[in-house]
Amino acid sequence: MIGTITVMSFKGGAGKTTIAVSLAATAFQAGLKTLLVDTDPLRASTLSLSARTMPGPDHLVLSPGALFQNGSTASRAGYDIRIVDTPAAPKADVAAAANCADLCLVVCRPTFLDIAAVLASAEMIRQLGRRGAVVLNQCQASRGNHEPPSIRRAREALALTGLPLAGVIGSRVAYQQSVARGLAAGEIGSVAAATEIRSLWDYASSLLKDAGTQTNPAHLKLVSA
Ligand SMILES: Nc1ncnc2c1ncn2[C@@H]1O[C@H](COP(=O)(O)OP(=O)(O)OP(=O)(O)O)[C@@H](O)[C@H]1O
Ligand SMILES: [Mg+2]
């Protein structure tokens, strides 16, 4: 297995489920045996992937506390990638999901309150010794080569969190339509959305492949405890 991506944010409605489902469907399209684990009691990603009518990622509901053991089970079952959708709270559940991640993707809208909330995620990721990156979601579209000021300001503010920017995702009807059918945005024909999600996937998967050869300190701590 190349790893586990935990999609998180302490702000409700930032787009965790939308990004988790779209990434899982993109990984599946890239030929990976993909498992989406839904740890949110609201079961939004389960609802989304249950609506998918064509072959796609497998999905499973688990409590965050069961994620660690599920990592070995998923590996033995031949999964290449595990993507974990999380609730916005409680913090302990988000921490359990983050602690099992090879990469934590923090979803954030380009607004003051969302960016402020990233500071808490960044601190949690740092304390757990995990790798993290931010996805700016629901962004105003760029016109030509001109990035909207809201995104430029968000980039500057996010630099203070110490987390790199994994991708910028536009606010598009394609994401609302695709999550309703368990699809990646590109699977419903939006070229712009397909390009954004593909680029996010390329970023995330290349980080996972890099990390594959590195030691996982949290795992060692647990094994030796
Ligand atoms: N890039 C986007 N463009 C347009 N709409 C989006 C986008 N991302 C998410 N949305 C919409 O925003 C709303 C919240 O998205 P979503 O449910 O994925 O967020 P969430 O972080 O998982 O929420 P929760 O905290 O409740 O689990 C949904 O209506 C979704 O369709
Ligand atoms: Mg959700």
Side-chain angles (χ1 to χ4, degrees):
M1 186 153 88
I2 62 166
T4 296
I5 299 175
T6 290
V7 184
M8 59 187 279
S9 83
F10 293 129
K11 288 294 284 180
K16 297 176 286 295
T17 299
T18 304
I19 298 295
V21 168
S22 228
L23 272 184
T26 303
F28 179 82
Q29 281 183 312
L32 272 62
K33 187 168 159 71
T34 304
L35 179 64
L36 192 149
V37 182
D38 188 356
T39 64
D40 186 346
L42 294 177
R43 306 285 180 253
S45 51
T46 302
L47 200 63
S48 171
L49 282 180
S50 301
R52 189 178 169 100
T53 51
M54 56 178 116
D58 291 329
H59 55 99
L60 181 69
V61 169
L62 278 185
S63 68
L67 279 170
F68 190 80
Q69 194 174 356
N70 172 258
S72 332
T73 312
S75 226
R76 280 198 302 274
Y79 284 102
D80 299 309
I81 177 89
R82 191 169 65 139
I83 295 176
V84 180
D85 188 18
T86 60
K91 232 174 181 173
D93 283 358
V94 182
N99 202 27
C100 290
D102 300 291
L103 174 64
C104 297
L105 282 182
V106 183
V107 182
C108 166
R109 289 164 294 203
T111 67
F112 174 77
L113 292 177
D114 270 46
I115 293 167
V118 175
L119 286 170
S121 299
E123 179 59 14
M124 176 182 279
I125 291 166
R126 196 191 58 74
Q127 281 182 3
L128 294 171
R130 306 285 88 195
R131 184 182 283 228
V134 178
V135 180
L136 262 181
N137 186 35
Q138 305 189 43
C139 295
Q140 189 188 340
S142 298
R143 286 188 189 280
N145 287 330
H146 295 292
E147 189 171 65
S150 58
I151 304 178
R152 184 177 42 75
R153 284 195 297 271
R155 279 182 193 275
E156 287 165 7
L158 286 170
L160 303 175
T161 68
L163 295 177
L165 188 59
V168 176
I169 304 291
S171 179
R172 303 181 193 281
V173 176
Y175 290 108
Q176 295 170 2
Q177 292 171 337
S178 59
V179 80
R181 295 159 55 194
L183 299 171
E187 289 179 296
I188 61 162
S190 165
V191 174
T195 307
E196 290 168 349
I197 286 289
R198 182 73 216 189
S199 142
L200 176 61
W201 165 248
D202 287 346
Y203 178 94
S205 57
S206 66
L207 280 188
L208 290 182
K209 282 172 196 154
D210 281 357
T213 50
Q214 291 170 16
T215 310
N216 177 335
H219 176 67
L220 281 183
K221 234 184 277 163
L222 269 169
V223 169
S224 59

